[in-house]
Amino acid sequence: MFGGGQTKCAAMADPRDEFSLRLRRLNAQRKKDLKRSRSAFIDNDGYVIVRGYREKRGIPYTGIMILVVGFFGLKGAMMAQMGEATYAAKVDELRASDSSVAQVGVWTLTPDPVSNLVATHLRDYL
């Protein structure tokens, strides 16, 4: 008669164990989610809007490419507009300066194959 009561007690403990296990899993998931940055705000109606996590790239490749293309394009346009002799004279003026900023300018403005290619293509249009 008492043997059946023990199985009922064991059966009563089982739902609590399942509940505790579920709570542990939910808390573990919550901790993992909190590590990610989420933005939450309250809209005009009083609802809380939570925006999900958005991974960010480490290196902005598009921005770097725009800078590189812009640099060589501007340098090639200056070379095409001024002409080779005038451009070389301006770089030589900078080279004669004692300023370290001018030396950096000389290093960046020295003609290179990419800028020469851009200049030859732009001479037809200028």
Side-chain angles (χ1 to χ4, degrees):
M1 184 172 6
F2 292 113
Q6 289 176 353
T7 56
K8 285 186 181 178
C9 289
M12 290 297 284
D14 191 37
R16 289 181 190 162
D17 290 341
E18 286 181 22
F19 182 72
S20 297
L21 182 64
R22 279 189 11 223
L23 278 181
R24 273 188 265 139
R25 273 189 278 164
L26 288 173
N27 283 333
Q29 182 65 36
R30 184 173 165 266
K31 283 181 184 179
K32 189 166 46 168
D33 287 343
L34 285 177
K35 289 180 183 175
R36 296 178 177 172
S37 62
R38 291 181 180 218
S39 63
F41 62 94
I42 300 173
D43 68 353
N44 293 336
D45 296 330
Y47 292 111
V48 176
I49 307 292
V50 178
R51 298 278 163 96
Y53 172 73
R54 180 178 166 185
E55 291 187 30
K56 296 179 182 177
R57 290 186 284 179
I59 300 173
Y61 293 111
T62 306
I64 291 172
M65 286 304 297
I66 289 171
L67 285 174
V68 167
V69 168
F71 172 75
F72 286 114
L74 180 64
K75 194 161 114 175
M78 286 182 357
M79 290 171 67
Q81 180 71 27
M82 290 181 185
E84 289 179 25
T86 308
Y87 187 82
K90 296 284 185 182
V91 172
D92 288 338
E93 277 181 35
L94 277 177
R95 191 172 283 129
S97 176
D98 293 334
S99 171
S100 61
V101 175
Q103 296 306 316
V104 171
V106 167
W107 181 74
T108 57
L109 294 176
T110 302
D112 57 87
V114 176
S115 300
N116 288 331
L117 180 69
V118 171
T120 55
H121 286 293
L122 287 179
R123 279 191 195 112
D124 299 335
Y125 299 107
L126 296 176

